[in-house]
Amino acid sequence: MVGESSHFLSTSNLYEPDKHRVLGYVDLWMAKGGHSRPGVLVALLEQRLCEYHHSKHCVAFATGFWSLVACLRLKALSAPEVIIPSFTYRRLADVVFWAGKTPRFVDVDPATLAISPKAVERAISSKTGAILAVHPIVNCCDVGTLQGIAHDHRVPIVFDAVESVHETCEGRRVGSLGGAEVFSLHASKLINGLEGGYVCSDDPEFVARLRRFRTHDATTASLLEPGSWMPSEMPDLHAAFALAGLDEIDLNVSHNQRIYRAYQERLKTVPGIRLREFDEAEQTSFKNIVAELTGKSLCSRDRLVQQLNQNGMLARAHYSPPLHTRSYEFPVSCPETLPVTDSVAARLINLPCGFRMREGDVPSVVDVIEKSLLMDSGG
Amino acid sequence: METYDVHAVVNEILKNQYFTNHGPLARALETKLSGWFGVRNAVLVGSVELALLVSLIAMRKEGQRRLVCNPQDYSPRLMHMGALCGLEVCAIKEMEMYSEESDVFYRAIQSSGVDQFRGGSNSYTVISEVCSSWWRFSPFVGKFASYPLPLILPLPTEGGGSVLLFDSDEDAERARNVRSSYGITKPVSVFVTCNGRFSEAQAGAVLNFLNRCSSSVQTGT
């Protein structure tokens, strides 16, 4: 495993909040009862996240993974399948397994690389229990169209927004859509809560069920639904880090924006590679740097990843391999071919980014990219 | 509630500059616990419930459909964890007489009953769980390794999580791979993965608590 040395360039955000701010929240917790009153900082974090996302309710969990499982367990119909994109987070099919459902893989939209509304509509059938719509790591999915499809077919929809904390869709803050939107507080994400997740929703009944799902006390109500309870409360110390990170989110985003601008400037003259650009008509975190190899280079994406890694720069193959090409021991479904996913899967790369990256590091990364692409093109 | 020095833990995390999972604090805690209990592998997991899920998946056999326990060990908690893994949970008084080869057994160990514990026969998978605050009964600590492994132990402090003890390197590696890609020694194929990760804050809290307990014993306070 690659370590987290502060000099190692990584694809994770790894934001470091101000120590005194974290300790200030710890002191607040201690003043309100400390160890004998767990949950004080978690409740404060939930309140702050509601304000930040313009959401009526927020429920914090120990992890984003189990937040997703909880939403699917509690939202999905009894039908067996959950529609998910294949070109996404590598454990998303496993999330669906833990929700007691079968993942049904669909294609992405070629322009946005987000779950394709047309593919979702084609995949909906009497077997569909829910749609798990994932925002890609650059920009958002087509929220309005997907919500329309879900509404028309009376199928619940859950949004996986773990990479979209700071984003807006058509001017509306992600997290304020009202249904079920899931975020992560893992250290690699925009808000560093060390580990954690949360769900935003405006539905009080759903929120009450989410709270029962995560509590350490199994309620009698949960006995009617085996699997509808999994203790997953966030520790207060994680909440202290997340609260400090939330307070400093503008600093974090400004830093990411500078890194993104540096990549934009440097990569525009490099043949064979194209930066996936953020939609700046919307609010965005500028957190992830994703580039696409174009047909002009003979260098493969995997070779480029290897070259960067050999130079101490952690780059990753973006969402590779796609989920429908992996083997599983539990049932999955993919009756259609996924031509867009198959076509883009070998071309996209996650470049170093995040809080430990300095603007001055970008030229060295781009130099390695340029040399690798030239070398393999016979230049 | 077991307390720890929260300021010290925050300082340690920030000093280490390691924010994701299975960093220096988690590694130090695994080393401490495996040495303490005299087993080859200690695998930290986010909670005792996650430890149960991780062990059920790591020890899974083809055709397994039942999680069998003694009637006194049956609980809503066990029912939910079984359901999440697709297992029916059955309470059977004469477990060994009425069980099937494919069953997996769950045995709870209460601190008062550790000496009376009997493990299953070799052909069965037995997952045992210590259901007590073992750190308050230090004379028993050394005995846990003599029970069938994997063994689930809770860890002290709020959100302290759990540790899974294994002697088999192969079983432990499967458990690490089910838990997450963080902290694995090598990738191995498992039925399904989950997020059972253990954070540096959890590790720091448990280490801080255990170290303070040790120094209290040494100084007689």
Side-chain angles (χ1 to χ4, degrees), chain A residues 128-204:
Chain A
T128 307
I131 302 163
L132 179 51
V134 187
H135 293 299
I137 71 172
V138 174
N139 302 323
C140 292
C141 58
D142 185 349
V143 170
T145 307
L146 288 163
Q147 282 181 318
I149 292 168
H151 178 266
D152 292 348
H153 292 271
R154 297 183 181 183
V155 173
I157 185 164
V158 173
F159 286 94
D160 176 340
V162 300
E163 293 282 2
S164 305
V165 170
H166 197 62
E167 322 296 290
T168 58
C169 289
E170 295 175 2
R172 195 171 170 184
R173 175 65 62 80
V174 172
S176 69
L177 302 176
E181 295 171 87
V182 180
F183 300 86
S184 170
L185 293 169
H186 188 252
S188 59
K189 302 300 185 291
L190 188 69
I191 301 176
N192 174 7
L194 301 175
E195 180 65 279
Y198 59 97
V199 182
C200 287
S201 176
D202 285 354
D203 177 350

Side-chain angles (χ1 to χ4, degrees), chain A residues 1 4 16 19 27 30 35 66 90-91 94 98 186-187 195 222-223 225 227 230 236 238 329 356, chain B residues 1 4 6-7 11 14 17-21 50 76 80 158 181-182 191-195 197 199:
Chain A
M1 191 187 68
E4 250 188 50
E16 182 177 341
K19 180 165 96 171
D27 290 341
M30 292 299 135
H35 299 284
W66 288 99
R90 64 203 159 101
R91 294 190 197 280
D94 302 52
W98 288 108
H186 188 252
E195 180 65 279
S222 75
L223 297 179
E225 297 174 87
M230 174 69 198
D236 282 285
H238 291 196
E329 292 188 40
R356 294 190 181 164
Chain B
M1 174 62 67
Y4 62 97
V6 190
H7 278 241
N11 286 329
L14 292 172
Q17 294 269 299
Y18 197 104
F19 300 137
T20 60
N21 311 82
L50 282 167
H80 282 295
E158 179 228 356
S181 54
Y182 285 97
F191 180 75
V192 67
T193 68
C194 71
N195 184 345
R197 298 187 295 232
S199 76

Side-chain angles (χ1 to χ4, degrees), chain B:
Chain B
M1 174 62 67
E2 283 73 12
T3 62
Y4 62 97
D5 182 342
V6 190
H7 278 241
V9 174
V10 170
N11 286 329
E12 189 84 1
I13 292 167
L14 292 172
K15 185 189 83 187
N16 291 341
Q17 294 269 299
Y18 197 104
F19 300 137
T20 60
N21 311 82
H22 218 79
L25 296 175
R27 290 195 292 269
L29 181 57
E30 284 190 345
T31 304
K32 184 183 186 84
L33 293 172
S34 58
W36 201 346
F37 293 112
V39 296
R40 286 179 60 81
N41 298 280
V43 178
L44 293 168
V45 185
S47 70
V48 284
E49 288 77 19
L50 282 167
L52 190 51
L53 293 190
V54 166
S55 54
L56 284 169
I57 298 296
M59 305 302 288
R60 191 178 183 280
K61 286 181 195 162
E62 188 71 34
Q64 207 163 64
R65 60 184 184 85
R66 295 200 311 181
L67 174 60
V68 177
C69 65
N70 278 319
Q72 68 267 27
D73 294 338
Y74 186 88
S75 64
R77 176 174 165 271
L78 208 56
M79 178 200 75
H80 282 295
M81 296 310 112
L84 282 164
C85 292
L87 296 171
E88 183 188 356
V89 181
C90 303
I92 301 177
K93 197 172 179 185
E94 302 292 337
M95 286 167 61
E96 282 155 29
M97 193 180 296
Y98 296 106
S99 64
E100 297 165 8
E101 193 69 20
S102 61
D103 288 340
V104 56
F105 287 83
Y106 168 83
R107 308 292 292 258
I109 304 172
Q110 307 298 337
S111 62
S112 56
V114 286
D115 291 326
Q116 286 77 49
F117 180 80
R118 273 188 332 116
S121 67
N122 288 338
S123 58
Y124 296 112
T125 301
V126 182
I127 294 171
S128 316
E129 180 180 7
V130 173
C131 299
S132 65
S133 304
W134 53 267
W135 51 90
R136 295 179 187 159
F137 304 97
S138 53
F140 289 126
V141 165
K143 292 187 179 178
F144 289 142
S146 63
Y147 299 118
L149 302 179
L151 181 64
I152 299 167
L153 289 117
L155 292 172
T157 76
E158 179 228 356
S162 177
V163 62
L164 269 163
L165 304 182
F166 292 93
D167 254 336
S168 157
D169 293 345
E170 198 182 325
D171 291 347
E173 199 51 56
R174 274 204 308 277
R176 290 187 194 103
N177 275 261
V178 173
R179 176 182 64 183
S180 162
S181 54
Y182 285 97
I184 63 170
T185 311
K186 61 177 179 183
V188 295
S189 172
V190 291
F191 180 75
V192 67
T193 68
C194 71
N195 184 345
R197 298 187 295 232
F198 194 82
S199 76
E200 285 293 277
Q202 288 177 293
V206 176
L207 275 169
N208 186 276
F209 173 81
L210 293 177
N211 289 338
R212 288 168 76 197
C213 283
S214 305
S215 55
S216 298
V217 170
Q218 281 163 18
T219 57
T221 55

Side-chain angles (χ1 to χ4, degrees), chain A residues 92-363:
Chain A
L92 208 66
D94 302 52
V95 166
V96 177
F97 166 85
W98 288 108
K101 301 290 184 192
T102 301
R104 161 77 192 261
F105 301 120
V106 297
D107 214 345
V108 290
D109 178 270
T112 63
L113 301 183
I115 187 168
S116 156
K118 284 180 190 162
V120 169
E121 188 137 42
R122 275 200 308 276
I124 287 183
S125 71
S126 58
K127 290 183 185 170
T128 307
I131 302 163
L132 179 51
V134 187
H135 293 299
I137 71 172
V138 174
N139 302 323
C140 292
C141 58
D142 185 349
V143 170
T145 307
L146 288 163
Q147 282 181 318
I149 292 168
H151 178 266
D152 292 348
H153 292 271
R154 297 183 181 183
V155 173
I157 185 164
V158 173
F159 286 94
D160 176 340
V162 300
E163 293 282 2
S164 305
V165 170
H166 197 62
E167 322 296 290
T168 58
C169 289
E170 295 175 2
R172 195 171 170 184
R173 175 65 62 80
V174 172
S176 69
L177 302 176
E181 295 171 87
V182 180
F183 300 86
S184 170
L185 293 169
H186 188 252
S188 59
K189 302 300 185 291
L190 188 69
I191 301 176
N192 174 7
L194 301 175
E195 180 65 279
Y198 59 97
V199 182
C200 287
S201 176
D202 285 354
D203 177 350
E205 193 187 329
F206 172 58
V207 165
R209 295 179 74 209
L210 281 174
R211 293 193 189 283
R212 286 200 295 272
F213 184 98
R214 70 160 187 186
T215 177
H216 277 90
D217 305 312
T219 59
T220 48
S222 75
L223 297 179
L224 301 172
E225 297 174 87
S228 65
W229 178 76
M230 174 69 198
S232 32
E233 291 179 8
M234 175 187 282
D236 282 285
L237 185 45
H238 291 196
F241 273 83
L243 281 160
L246 185 56
D247 287 344
E248 296 168 11
I249 200 159
D250 290 336
L251 284 172
N252 189 353
V253 171
S254 300
H255 172 85
N256 289 340
Q257 186 174 15
R258 287 195 296 275
I259 301 298
Y260 173 71
R261 291 275 178 255
Y263 271 116
Q264 233 180 355
E265 185 58 31
R266 297 283 305 197
L267 280 176
K268 71 182 178 194
T269 55
V270 179
I273 192 162
R274 178 170 57 216
L275 187 66
R276 297 287 307 184
E277 301 222 330
F278 287 98
D279 175 1
E280 296 195 45
E282 301 283 359
Q283 178 175 286
T284 181
S285 69
F286 299 99
K287 174 180 164 288
N288 299 296
I289 305 294
V290 180
E292 181 173 3
L293 269 66
T294 64
K296 289 177 185 168
S297 171
L298 294 176
C299 177
S300 74
R301 185 271 317 274
D302 292 343
R303 171 126 173 93
L304 182 56
V305 168
Q306 190 184 36
Q307 289 289 320
L308 287 162
N309 291 349
Q310 281 170 359
N311 282 276
M313 302 161 181
L314 179 62
R316 291 181 191 277
H318 179 65
Y319 291 153
S320 179
L323 302 190
H324 75 287
T325 65
R326 293 173 174 237
S327 62
Y328 296 89
E329 292 188 40
F330 55 86
V332 299
S333 169
C334 190
E336 283 189 346
T337 56
L338 309 183
V340 180
T341 299
D342 289 335
S343 130
V344 298
R347 298 210 306 261
L348 290 148
I349 182 169
N350 291 23
L351 295 175
C353 61
F355 193 66
R356 294 190 181 164
M357 181 99 183
R358 292 162 301 201
E359 280 169 272
D361 294 323
V362 173

